Amino acid sequence: MVNTERLLATFLDLVQIDNPSGGEGPIAAHIRGLLEGMGLEVAEDALHNLLARVPGEGQPLLLNAHMDSVAPCHGVRPLVADGVVRSSGDTVLGADDLAGVAAIVEGLRATLEQGQPHRAAEIVFTVQEEVGLRGAAQFDTGALAAREGVTLDSGGDFGGITVGAPSQDSLYVLVQGRASHAGVAPERGVNAIVVAAEALAGMPLGRIDDETTANFGIIKGGAATNIVPDRVELWGEARSHDQEKLVAQVQAMVAAFEEAARARGASVKIEIEHKYDAYRLALDLPIVQRVMAKLRAMGHEPNPQISGGGSDVNIFAQRNLQVVNVSVGYREIHSTGESIAVADLERAAELVRRLLAA
């Protein structure tokens, strides 16, 4: 069985290491030390993605989680009360996805301590997952012998299995207006903020349909209240399980900016980047069936789900790896109310141990 006290200590140590996307060096070094402390050889690429190979029987099983967290993730102070781990309220907790990392580490430790035959494994801990799966996209999956695996990077009730996720396109928009003195000659200016606001008000955003979502999450512009702002930058995204719907949604967002700019005498520059493709896993795939069987053996009814969010699995699927994303049990991710029950953390580690059992 897994050691719950050790597992919790590992998790609490991890979340107190600052781990913003693009700044994972310190936490990668800590995790590498944990893996090497188990006698494993660890390879680290230029981005700080980690790969550890675990000798054992049969074709290796891929085990994956990511090491970065969304902001605010500096100075996390975890609190444990009534069997639940939370942040102090001014940062995220980082359970997404350090709970996945901790569960894999503890499940592996428990396996190796038993000294019994076990399945071979390849452990991949990635960086920059939260900013478009950049770590997984640049990771050399050709170095893997594994053809199937499990990612621990999903929330909600333990037992959840993500068998489908959407494609995503990101948008960068630059609205160029004309500056002027806001008090002396406002009519000479073209307010880029107004153009952006009118564009946003005129486009479909949020939940578009049961397969499609869209959002603008960052806006930067303006220099002073007495200057008509001539420049505004916006960053957004669109997601869909249907590629045609994704294309149509992005076109609608672009058209709204172009129309608003034209009406006000502004100009607009838009850059679109396709981040990753959608995927669906058949329920009769061997890895899906294996995970479901292990969950049932633990007393949990599997709950296959279609997700609205992407994960490293999207990249693995593009490269013909069959990987299923399972719930670790964390709640309210990407917020300062993020939490995870210690019991769910323990269940996730136990699932890893059972998956590795020969």
Side-chain angles (χ1 to χ4, degrees):
M1 300 292 290
V2 300
N3 183 322
T4 304
E5 182 177 346
R6 182 176 60 190
L7 168 62
L8 179 58
T10 297
F11 176 63
L12 295 178
D13 285 344
L14 287 172
V15 299
Q16 292 180 80
I17 302 171
D18 293 346
N19 64 332
S21 302
E24 297 94 341
I27 198 163
H30 180 82
I31 295 169
R32 180 171 185 165
L34 295 177
L35 296 170
E36 291 177 339
M38 288 183 262
L40 303 177
E41 292 187 5
V42 183
E44 183 172 351
D45 66 18
L47 285 181
H48 300 299
N49 289 311
L50 300 179
L51 167 60
R53 291 187 170 87
V54 183
E57 299 182 353
Q59 187 176 61
L61 177 71
L62 173 64
L63 293 170
N64 162 252
H66 66 86
M67 299 182 285
D68 59 319
S69 296
V70 299
C73 60
H74 291 273
V76 173
R77 292 172 292 155
L79 305 174
V80 185
D82 300 321
V84 178
V85 188
R86 298 181 173 86
S87 80
S88 59
D90 53 355
T91 66
V92 299
L93 174 61
D96 176 17
D97 186 29
L98 297 179
V101 173
I104 291 171
V105 168
E106 177 55 33
L108 181 57
R109 275 175 171 163
T111 297
L112 296 177
E113 285 175 347
Q114 288 179 326
Q116 300 296 319
H118 58 81
R119 184 171 179 178
E122 291 175 325
I123 314 298
V124 175
F125 292 137
T126 59
V127 299
Q128 300 186 46
E129 191 272 352
E130 297 289 5
V131 289
L133 317 184
R134 293 176 185 170
Q138 296 189 47
F139 177 76
D140 180 15
T141 52
L144 298 175
R147 307 316 304 162
E148 64 177 15
V150 175
T151 290
L152 282 80
D153 184 22
S154 183
D157 293 341
F158 183 77
I161 302 174
T162 300
V163 294
S167 299
Q168 180 184 324
D169 284 355
S170 66
L171 293 88
Y172 166 75
V173 181
L174 171 62
V175 178
Q176 190 68 54
R178 184 169 59 249
S180 66
H181 193 291
V184 176
E187 60 279 348
R188 295 180 185 174
V190 176
N191 192 314
I193 291 178
V194 171
V195 173
E198 291 176 344
L200 293 173
M203 72 176 66
L205 290 173
R207 173 72 62 185
I208 310 304
D209 58 37
D210 60 354
E211 293 185 306
T212 312
T213 60
N215 185 58
F216 272 92
I218 303 174
I219 302 177
K220 294 182 180 180
T225 61
N226 63 351
I227 301 174
V228 174
D230 65 343
R231 179 185 174 96
V232 171
E233 296 175 284
L234 304 93
W235 289 262
E237 64 167 47
R239 305 180 189 218
S240 184
H241 291 270
D242 184 292
Q243 184 61 29
E244 291 185 1
K245 289 182 178 180
L246 179 62
V247 171
Q249 173 60 31
V250 171
Q251 288 176 341
M253 296 162 82
V254 170
F257 277 107
E258 292 177 341
E259 182 178 346
R262 186 165 51 249
R264 291 278 181 176
S267 63
V268 62
K269 173 186 176 183
I270 302 175
E271 298 176 359
I272 301 167
E273 181 182 0
H274 183 67
K275 291 292 189 178
Y276 48 80
D277 294 334
Y279 73 89
R280 288 290 177 94
L281 299 177
L283 293 182
D284 61 358
L285 277 178
I287 186 60
V288 176
Q289 288 294 308
R290 189 172 299 115
V291 171
M292 293 174 70
K294 297 297 184 183
L295 288 170
R296 290 192 179 103
M298 293 173 63
H300 296 274
E301 184 59 29
N303 180 21
Q305 304 168 345
I306 302 299
S307 174
S311 72
D312 287 344
V313 177
N314 288 74
I315 302 298
F316 296 143
Q318 288 176 210
R319 300 178 183 175
N320 298 316
L321 299 175
Q322 296 178 349
V323 182
V324 61
N325 191 355
V326 301
S327 173
V328 190
Y330 44 65
R331 312 280 176 168
E332 296 189 49
I333 62 169
H334 296 195
S335 80
T336 55
E338 184 183 9
S339 67
I340 187 169
V342 176
D344 282 332
L345 191 61
E346 180 183 23
R347 292 182 186 109
E350 176 62 14
L351 176 61
V352 171
R353 188 191 70 80
R354 290 180 181 230
L355 287 167
L356 289 174

